[in-house]
Amino acid sequence: MSDPVAEPSVTVVVVTATGATVPDGLLDSLGRAFDGHVEAVDAAELVERLDCDRPPGAVVIVDEVTPSAEVAAALSTTRASVVAYAEREPEPDLTYVDGHVARTADVDRLVAEIERARAGETRRQLRAARQRMTELHAGTADIAAAEDVSELFDRTIEVARRVLEFDHCAIAVHEDGEMIVRARSENADWLRSRVGVDESVSGAAFTRGETVHVDDISTWDLSNPDATGSGVSVPFGSDAVFQAISRTPYAFDGTDRELAELLATHVGQAYERLRAQADLTRRERVMAELHEAAPRLVDADSEDELYELVVEIAQRVLSFDRSCVYTAGSDQFTRRAMTDTDFPEAFPRGFGAMEKSHVENRSFVLDNNAETDFAESHDGVPRALISVPFAGDAVFQVITEPVGAFDDGDLEFAELLTSYATATRERIRSERALRHARRVTEQLHEATADLAAADDEETLIERAIRASEEVLEFDKSTITLREGDKLVPKADSTGSPPDSSRPMDLDEGVAGRTYRTGESVLVDDVADEDDASPARSEYRSGLSVPIGDLGVFQAVATVPDSFTRDDLNHAELLMSHVAVSLQRVRAQADLRAEHDRLSALFENIPDAALSFELVDGEPVAREINSAFTDTFGFGDEIVGEAIDQFIVPEREETQAAEFNRRLHAGERLRSECRRVTADGLRDFLMHVVPLELGSENVGGYAIYSDITDRKEHERALRRQNERLDEFASVVSHDLRNPLSIAEGYLELARETGDLEHLDTVSDAVERMRALVDDLLRLAREGRVVGDTESVDVSVAARAAWEIVDTGDTTLTVDDDLVVEADEDRLRELFENLFRNSVEHGGDAPAVRVEATPTGFAVADDGPGVPADSSEEVFEVGVSTIDGGTGFGLAIVRRIAEAHGWSVTAATGEDGGARFEFVTDGGESSAEPAVRGA
């Protein structure tokens, strides 16, 4: 926390070190400068003086006073400005010292420094303020990286506590007239979790929409009369407030306020981004769940089941707790389905928004039905309301008592849900005459599952035409959709575009009549239909079915009377599914377009971003954000220049050219790339959005998200996994020796009957179990070594010697050698080295474990290995003897490297193999070895 703001007192207290004296004339000079309000105290009296009802406005410390803990605490929490009058400037960690004047300076300099300290303008104060500002900017990176609102608030509290040094801080969010604390520092448990908007400082900041700085909370009219202290409350986002709080008055100054506001600005940007992302994620989730629920809606066998499904899906998918469906009769609206039994069974015709929705076929979202001319409440309680007409005579309504609870997005989902229901009820009524055609209906159901899985309009239409051929067995069919004031053919059974078809007016021909009336037409003979104008003269009969209010489906044949009423009904059923799916894919396309627009408008993102214009196929920068400048080191000098020549590396030019070609064609790009930055080459996730998708473009927006750390981590993780796979494959090699020992002593026990041999078997089994456990730990945790500790090398070496079948080989170990290691892995290292000496060292070699200046070494007096094999011996599968596995020394190197050590094969003094381990970062000075594995 910055230096506290002093109360309007100019009393000066002068404190001297024990045995020191106040300079001659100092008190008199200060007294003249501050109207006589100057007194001298010793360090013991200072605490009481600072804790009185009228504390001083300033404290002057003469010479280098070394305060007690109590005095230091008092100086750290006092509201007075503290100035050191000493030969040397106090250390920076003495944060309670606001200013310093050399002892040799005159009193006028001291008076001026006191005034600057009280104004927060001394060099120490300004330096501390700059440091806090710098640290705050560094801390905002953590804030920007938050992945959800809860994490954002927690990181904000941590930055405020760690960087800004606010002892107590919290974040409150407005909900239903209350400010609710969502995050707080650990030492702020005394802060009330919920308080009315009109009863709190945070509520005042939220209501005013501006920072509220309170020096003394006791002067405010709050619900808690015992409240004391001070605070700075800064609103951010649309409903949140950041609070820096102290339990003492006058604890914050202008710098604290400025830092709190700057912090809130950064948090607000991240907050709005996360909320927008959460809202978009929710919309995508709801859209997907609506799509998943649509088949249930489509499968409803009766209108009552359909209405029950509408309110059930509204509650489960759209989170509408109170919803209902009413149908209109001649004199009343009758309840058909509800999630709340408090809904009346009927309403009279003319009742409020229900009547208006039904008569005008319009949807409404009302913040408060009691404040709307045409709406009313059946029990007088004001409520938020959504009212959506559907299926001709039905009205779907959602009601909740908190006013203002719904928005246009909720209305959009309600309309989409009822659009499914509308098409489904048409199908239900049609199916009443189709019970005898169950087989075809079941086939249609299978086809609609294929329709429901379509992700775009083109695929949907293609699958609908295929269903008309394979399920309905129509030879020639066409789908025509409305575009503006025309019906435009989209696909037929011979391919796309439709053969011999042309756009038609909305009232032209049988298709126009079908679309205009919304009724299907069965044409037994085109000669009998005045408005029939087939695309080809050989077409003699056909049927025409509306696709909701979106278009028309038609099937034709070359002979009269080719279609029956059942064919027409089956086509209507198929097209009802097509209408539902078409509305869905269009809604999803609109959602994607909205997402793109939000991305394009998202200017203040923390990632590097620029807008560009394509000139001769190359992107020319038109505007860049500050993050772009920070990342790439370029400012306004690149505006108007081709951006690729500044940031695209030479080896990436071909890729960049391909990106530009695709952008010009109207494609949206999301790709990983490498770019030249102010810090060198770095990896980015590049997201480029053209101004218009699917057509030639002249510009767009590009966002570069730095993923260098992630890519480095992925590469490091891949290398680690490769090493772990290799290590797991070779650790099993170490099971050979204890297994051989167990088998040998078990056979010996059987032959001699001496059960004491089973102790050795048990030891070997325990060793194998430990190795298997370590292997499992390695496979699950991806670690070669576990926790390390100080290990006596001689103990580990002798334990390993007991496990290995060493025969007549001898071992010598230096005592008093200790290393930081995983003891089990160190023992495994020695086992492999001893086994290597026994297997490769000839008859009864002598083995030594000895300390070196940089670690330790294991040597023997065997024959050694070829000089050019000193590095090769550590490779997996390399062995100098017949039957050797080549795993032993590879395992040794893996264990050493996992500890952070290095190992080299060297020539011993006796000419044998010598393996030196550097454990302290030094370098081995040994000559190359003459023998290896």
Side-chain angles (χ1 to χ4, degrees), residues 96-135:
Y96 56 77
V97 177
D98 301 309
H100 165 253
V101 176
R103 178 68 179 269
T104 56
D106 57 33
V107 175
D108 290 340
R109 289 280 303 279
L110 178 59
V111 171
E113 186 75 355
I114 292 173
E115 294 295 348
R116 282 195 294 269
R118 296 179 66 243
E121 298 176 353
T122 70
R123 184 173 60 181
R124 289 175 62 90
Q125 291 170 318
L126 294 176
R127 184 167 60 237
R130 287 194 299 271
Q131 179 65 27
R132 294 172 70 197
M133 187 71 72
T134 300
E135 292 177 351

Side-chain angles (χ1 to χ4, degrees), residues 511-688:
R513 189 207 319 173
T514 302
Y515 179 82
R516 187 175 64 255
T517 63
E519 297 178 354
S520 301
V521 177
L522 181 63
V523 179
D524 294 328
D525 193 330
V526 296
D528 297 332
E529 296 288 336
D530 294 336
D531 57 355
S533 55
R536 292 187 177 183
S537 58
E538 61 263 30
Y539 295 154
R540 298 295 307 277
S541 60
L543 56 82
S544 184
V545 176
I547 306 175
D549 60 353
L550 306 174
V552 177
F553 167 82
Q554 291 186 314
V556 295
T558 57
V559 296
D561 301 316
S562 293
F563 300 94
T564 66
R565 180 59 59 177
D566 286 341
D567 291 327
L568 183 64
N569 291 335
H570 293 154
E572 288 176 338
L573 182 57
L574 175 61
M575 290 307 111
S576 70
H577 290 292
V578 172
V580 170
S581 297
L582 188 56
Q583 288 172 327
R584 171 183 58 79
V585 297
R586 287 182 173 180
Q588 289 176 336
D590 290 340
L591 186 61
R592 287 192 294 269
E594 180 180 358
H595 179 270
D596 293 339
R597 288 192 296 271
L598 288 174
S599 298
L601 294 173
F602 197 42
E603 297 180 6
N604 295 321
I605 59 174
D607 293 327
L610 78 155
S611 64
F612 65 89
E613 179 182 2
L614 287 174
V615 178
D616 296 331
E618 290 189 0
V620 174
R622 293 305 179 206
E623 185 177 3
I624 60 176
N625 67 355
S626 59
F628 186 97
T629 299
D630 294 340
T631 300
F632 294 101
F634 298 111
D636 293 339
E637 69 271 13
I638 67 169
V639 174
E641 300 292 334
I643 189 65
D644 286 354
Q645 65 179 323
F646 292 94
I647 66 174
V648 175
E650 291 183 359
R651 296 183 179 179
E652 303 291 331
E653 292 174 346
T654 301
Q655 181 194 51
E658 174 63 15
F659 287 165
N660 295 340
R661 184 194 65 77
R662 293 170 60 188
L663 284 175
H664 187 69
E667 290 186 40
R668 181 172 59 190
L669 301 179
R670 184 180 177 86
S671 180
E672 295 183 0
C673 63
R674 303 202 79 190
R675 290 294 181 262
V676 178
T677 72
D679 298 322
L681 287 177
R682 295 187 69 82
D683 295 302
F684 292 91
L685 177 61
M686 180 182 69
H687 188 189
V688 186

Side-chain angles (χ1 to χ4, degrees), residues 629-925:
T629 299
D630 294 340
T631 300
F632 294 101
F634 298 111
D636 293 339
E637 69 271 13
I638 67 169
V639 174
E641 300 292 334
I643 189 65
D644 286 354
Q645 65 179 323
F646 292 94
I647 66 174
V648 175
E650 291 183 359
R651 296 183 179 179
E652 303 291 331
E653 292 174 346
T654 301
Q655 181 194 51
E658 174 63 15
F659 287 165
N660 295 340
R661 184 194 65 77
R662 293 170 60 188
L663 284 175
H664 187 69
E667 290 186 40
R668 181 172 59 190
L669 301 179
R670 184 180 177 86
S671 180
E672 295 183 0
C673 63
R674 303 202 79 190
R675 290 294 181 262
V676 178
T677 72
D679 298 322
L681 287 177
R682 295 187 69 82
D683 295 302
F684 292 91
L685 177 61
M686 180 182 69
H687 188 189
V688 186
V689 182
L691 293 177
E692 184 176 356
L693 293 173
S695 61
E696 289 191 356
N697 271 269
V698 295
Y701 294 85
I703 301 173
Y704 294 88
S705 300
D706 194 327
I707 59 172
T708 304
D709 292 341
R710 191 196 77 191
K711 298 293 289 184
E712 288 295 332
H713 178 71
E714 290 174 354
R715 289 190 283 266
L717 186 60
R718 184 164 54 251
R719 291 192 298 268
Q720 179 186 2
N721 287 339
E722 291 171 357
R723 290 183 59 190
L724 287 176
D725 290 340
E726 179 183 355
F727 186 69
S729 69
V730 301
V731 165
S732 60
H733 159 258
D734 285 354
L735 295 174
R736 271 190 312 116
N737 197 65
L739 180 60
S740 298
I741 292 174
E743 289 175 343
Y745 278 91
L746 182 60
E747 183 63 28
L748 188 60
R750 288 172 176 167
E751 292 175 355
T752 64
D754 186 355
L755 297 183
E756 290 185 357
H757 295 303
L758 295 182
D759 292 337
T760 305
V761 174
S762 177
D763 290 342
V765 170
E766 286 301 318
R767 177 58 180 157
M768 287 189 289
R769 180 178 291 110
L771 288 172
V772 170
D773 289 344
D774 289 346
L775 177 58
L776 290 175
R777 177 167 61 83
L778 169 63
R780 292 169 180 163
E781 300 180 10
R783 297 188 302 170
V784 176
V785 299
D787 295 334
T788 62
E789 59 183 349
S790 296
V791 179
D792 189 323
V793 172
S794 64
V795 173
R798 290 189 175 95
W801 187 263
E802 294 298 324
I803 294 297
V804 178
D805 185 3
T806 57
D808 297 331
T809 304
T810 61
L811 172 68
T812 304
V813 183
D814 284 354
D815 293 328
D816 300 327
L817 175 58
V818 177
V819 296
E820 284 291 323
D822 179 331
E823 185 172 3
D824 290 337
R825 298 284 72 76
L826 180 61
R827 193 174 75 175
E828 187 176 349
L829 178 145
F830 281 129
E831 289 177 22
N832 281 280
L833 289 172
F834 296 158
R835 190 179 300 118
N836 180 74
S837 294
V838 171
E839 293 176 353
H840 300 77
D843 296 333
V847 180
R848 301 184 310 280
V849 178
E850 59 190 32
T852 68
T854 58
F856 64 92
V858 178
D860 61 43
D861 56 0
V865 295
D868 58 356
S869 300
S870 59
E871 184 62 27
E872 184 182 20
V873 296
F874 292 107
E875 297 179 5
V876 175
V878 175
S879 179
T880 60
I881 63 171
D882 294 337
T885 64
F887 286 167
L889 293 183
I891 294 175
V892 169
R893 171 162 283 185
R894 293 295 185 271
I895 295 174
E897 291 177 346
H899 281 86
W901 306 340
S902 63
V903 57
T904 56
T907 301
E909 294 179 357
D910 298 330
R914 178 181 176 84
F915 298 94
E916 290 196 3
F917 295 85
V918 177
T919 64
D920 63 356
E923 296 183 356
S924 172
S925 60

Side-chain angles (χ1 to χ4, degrees), residues 35 62 79 207 297 361 406 435 437 632 706 721 755 762 838 877:
D35 297 330
V62 179
R79 290 168 291 172
T207 303
L297 209 61
N361 193 32
F406 303 123
R435 299 303 181 188
F632 294 101
D706 194 327
N721 287 339
L755 297 183
S762 177
V838 171

